[in-house]
Amino acid sequence: MTLSDSVCCKCKTESAAVLIRHAYYCRSCFIFVFVGKYRSIITKSRSIARNRGKVLLACSGGLSSLTMTHLTHEFRRVEPHEKKKVQLLGPAVLCHLDESALFGTENTSERLEKMAKEKYPEIPFVSYRMEDVLSASEFTDSPHFEKTLKSTTNNRNSDYEHYVQLIQKSTRSTEESSVDALRRLFGHINKNTAKGDLHWHMKMAMLVFIARREGCSYIFMGDSSTRQAIKMIAMTSKGRGYSVPMDVSVENTTSFEDIVIIRPMKDMLAKEIGFYSHFCGLDAYAIAPVHWETGLPAKTSIDKLTEEFITTLDRDFPSTVSTISRTASKLTPPKNVDLNRRCAMCLMPYQAGISAWRQGITVSEVEGQNEAEVSVDTPTSSCTTNQESCCGGGCSGSSPSVDFYSHVCYSCQINLKDYQPEALEQMPPYVVERIDAKERENSLREQIQEFLLSDNEEEK
């Protein structure tokens, strides 16, 4: 039976206009069902029911985020005959991160701002450039944070440990443009998978900082069911199994104490979003996504390979995406999540003892090899007494070296194998700030360790 010969499976009267999996829908019934999925997630949210807070709409300009913005606008709109309508969502802010400087594309913020003023004039629009993440005054807890990292490890054992030193920023690094610094950062990362992960972590960190600055309690992400299925498989293969329940859940209340991340498009397929955006005329405003693997074969990154695998399988087996998504929705975060132990790069909680476990399954040296060849220099300071000659000035000459691996999760440790030492020295200030704060905390704990009581002593 062809689409033109079919009848809508819902109203049983109108001719079918859309085929989703094995179900035929007319245009009006499809829109009704599609909007119902969004409303269902919002109305069933326990966090929204407890707190009618401000919402930050993360909009990349793709079809999914544009559709989410449109649905949120329609959900919050009160018609004259709906004066008794209970408003579940608070004020909304539309946020866009402009990546044009990084990928050399056209400016996307101006285009989205024009669209927002035309279609959603009551929703404020804020835009930040991707290179702003390197600004310590905007995306750090302390606006006067002026430290950076200096690599102090030789390259022989950088796959398993990488020692860095916290130093003051030199004059040369502060004068360098943020666009050049951002491009240089990603230019010193070897593989597209590691580039894509850092790019995503930086965007997520920016959204969290922006949400706090705007006073938002919620961040709405436009991840579709298809995207969530791809993310679950890709993240599991990259070693992010511990944080997968938080990365793909409909309502993430665990990662941050003051912000809830909600994915209201979780039940919509990419195909459904494409139909709805076409019916509502949103596809005219869509911005095509651009990444490092754009136009390259699938094997250039784990994410692109997973995307091709899932979408190809879904063509012959239409229930593939929904099956993976239902499985992902059943995952729950561990009960013993320690929010004080966060990855400095992705800001997600991670398990204790991952470095020791990784060393236990990794061959770091060959038996019988010359000890001088496998020895790793871990100096307490790589700087000379002449501050101007060692790192551009500002370091004390006695700053201890710290292992960068000890401050990141297992997945980020795996990605660090593809980082050149220059990439670590260009890390965003929010990463350096977290490492500096953790080192200060560890140093203070060591100083007062002898005065602390253990659990056994308290019981006595």
Side-chain angles (χ1 to χ4, degrees):
M1 182 181 294
T2 61
L3 182 65
S4 58
D5 298 331
S6 304
V7 179
C8 176
C9 65
K10 185 171 180 63
C11 64
K12 310 293 186 185
T13 57
E14 297 292 332
S15 299
V18 174
L19 172 62
I20 302 297
R21 297 193 184 98
H22 301 292
Y24 293 93
Y25 293 96
C26 64
R27 178 169 175 167
S28 58
C29 288
F30 168 76
I31 294 178
F32 178 82
V33 172
F34 187 88
V35 174
K37 292 180 180 180
Y38 175 88
R39 291 179 176 272
S40 176
I41 290 179
I42 299 299
T43 54
K44 291 180 180 179
S45 172
R46 296 181 180 179
S47 300
I48 294 178
R50 290 193 299 264
N51 176 26
R52 180 179 169 270
K54 197 173 181 181
V55 178
L56 183 76
L57 301 174
C59 182
S60 64
L63 286 179
S64 185
S65 59
L66 288 178
T67 302
M68 179 190 68
T69 303
H70 182 77
L71 289 171
T72 305
H73 171 262
E74 295 296 319
F75 185 82
R76 295 182 64 255
R77 188 175 63 179
V78 179
E79 299 291 347
H81 63 280
E82 299 176 329
K83 300 218 174 168
K84 294 184 179 180
K85 178 180 178 180
V86 178
Q87 186 59 265
L88 295 179
L89 294 178
V93 177
L94 187 61
C95 177
H96 173 66
L97 302 179
D98 189 354
E99 307 170 10
S100 58
L102 178 60
F103 297 108
T105 58
E106 64 173 341
N107 190 299
T108 57
S109 59
E110 296 178 358
R111 182 175 171 183
L112 283 179
E113 184 176 11
K114 181 180 179 181
M115 181 272 298
K117 290 181 178 179
E118 292 177 358
K119 298 182 68 67
Y120 319 114
E122 71 281 2
I123 300 180
F125 178 85
V126 294
S127 176
Y128 291 84
R129 299 173 300 173
M130 192 68 203
E131 56 269 25
D132 290 341
V133 72
L134 301 180
S135 172
S137 60
E138 293 193 56
F139 293 100
T140 54
D141 294 331
S142 174
H144 304 292
F145 186 78
E146 290 294 334
K147 288 188 178 182
T148 185
L149 298 178
K150 178 178 176 62
S151 177
T152 60
T153 299
N154 62 47
N155 294 326
R156 285 197 297 270
N157 205 36
S158 59
D159 287 354
Y160 315 105
E161 56 189 9
H162 205 124
Y163 285 88
V164 294
Q165 202 173 26
L166 290 160
I167 63 174
Q168 292 294 327
K169 280 187 178 180
S170 63
T171 306
R172 182 182 62 84
S173 62
T174 54
E175 291 177 352
E176 183 183 26
S177 70
S178 55
V179 176
D180 294 336
L182 186 66
R183 291 176 178 173
R184 196 152 65 92
L185 166 61
F186 286 101
H188 287 102
I189 301 177
N190 298 329
K191 294 184 180 180
N192 289 333
T193 299
K195 289 181 181 180
D197 285 351
L198 177 62
H199 182 230
W200 170 251
H201 299 332
M202 290 166 61
K203 290 199 297 183
M204 197 66 228
M206 292 179 71
L207 290 175
V208 172
F209 277 106
I210 295 170
R212 289 170 177 162
R213 189 178 303 146
E214 296 291 335
C216 297
S217 302
Y218 305 99
I219 298 178
F220 278 19
M221 308 291 292
D223 295 334
S224 65
S225 180
T226 307
R227 176 54 50 189
Q228 290 294 84
I230 295 171
K231 284 176 61 177
M232 177 186 173
I233 302 299
M235 287 182 171
T236 305
S237 63
K238 289 186 288 188
R240 298 195 67 85
Y242 185 80
S243 62
V244 159
M246 295 169 272
D247 288 322
V248 301
S249 61
V250 178
E251 187 173 347
N252 180 10
T253 59
T254 307
S255 298
F256 305 98
E257 296 177 344
D258 55 340
I259 294 176
V260 179
I261 300 175
I262 297 179
R263 299 176 175 89
M265 311 296 289
K266 177 71 167 55
D267 292 337
M268 291 85 151
L269 298 172
K271 182 179 180 180
E272 294 178 298
I273 294 174
F275 279 124
Y276 181 83
S277 61
H278 176 69
F279 293 152
C280 296
L282 300 175
D283 50 353
Y285 303 98
I287 299 174
V290 178
H291 300 286
W292 286 277
E293 60 268 19
T294 301
L296 298 178
K299 293 183 180 180
T300 52
S301 71
I302 293 178
D303 299 271
K304 191 171 180 65
L305 183 62
T306 307
E307 180 179 2
E308 185 186 45
F309 171 72
I310 296 295
T311 53
T312 303
L313 191 62
D314 194 63
R315 292 192 194 104
D316 298 327
F317 303 95
S319 299
T320 299
V321 170
S322 59
T323 301
I324 299 175
S325 297
R326 285 197 302 268
T327 304
S329 63
K330 296 177 183 178
L331 301 176
T332 55
K335 295 182 180 179
N336 59 344
V337 173
D338 186 4
L339 295 180
N340 293 323
R341 188 170 54 241
R342 290 182 180 274
C343 174
M345 294 176 65
C346 65
L347 305 183
M348 299 297 286
Y350 64 89
Q351 289 174 294
I354 56 175
S355 296
W357 179 82
R358 183 167 177 263
Q359 290 178 359
I361 64 169
T362 306
V363 178
S364 58
E365 61 183 37
V366 180
E367 185 177 356
Q369 193 174 0
N370 189 352
E371 293 183 359
E373 297 179 0
V374 299
S375 62
V376 178
D377 298 329
T378 57
T380 58
S381 173
S382 65
C383 300
T384 62
T385 55
N386 185 357
Q387 294 183 359
E388 294 296 331
S389 64
C390 64
C391 61
C395 62
S396 61
S398 60
S399 176
S401 294
V402 299
D403 188 5
F404 194 94
Y405 278 73
S406 62
H407 293 279
V408 296
C409 63
Y410 177 78
S411 177
C412 291
Q413 287 186 12
I414 299 298
N415 285 335
L416 283 175
K417 294 172 61 178
D418 300 315
Y419 283 55
Q420 300 175 22
E422 294 82 1
L424 294 183
E425 296 177 357
Q426 292 290 325
M427 277 290 164
Y430 80 87
V431 177
V432 184
E433 184 184 40
R434 293 200 65 86
I435 295 177
D436 182 57
K438 196 64 178 178
E439 285 299 313
R440 289 175 180 271
E441 179 183 338
N442 294 340
S443 176
L444 179 61
R445 180 173 291 274
E446 289 179 1
Q447 295 176 15
I448 65 174
Q449 185 66 39
E450 58 180 312
F451 304 103
L452 298 178
L453 295 176
S454 64
D455 295 337
N456 295 333
E457 291 176 334
E458 289 179 354
E459 292 176 0
K460 293 179 182 180

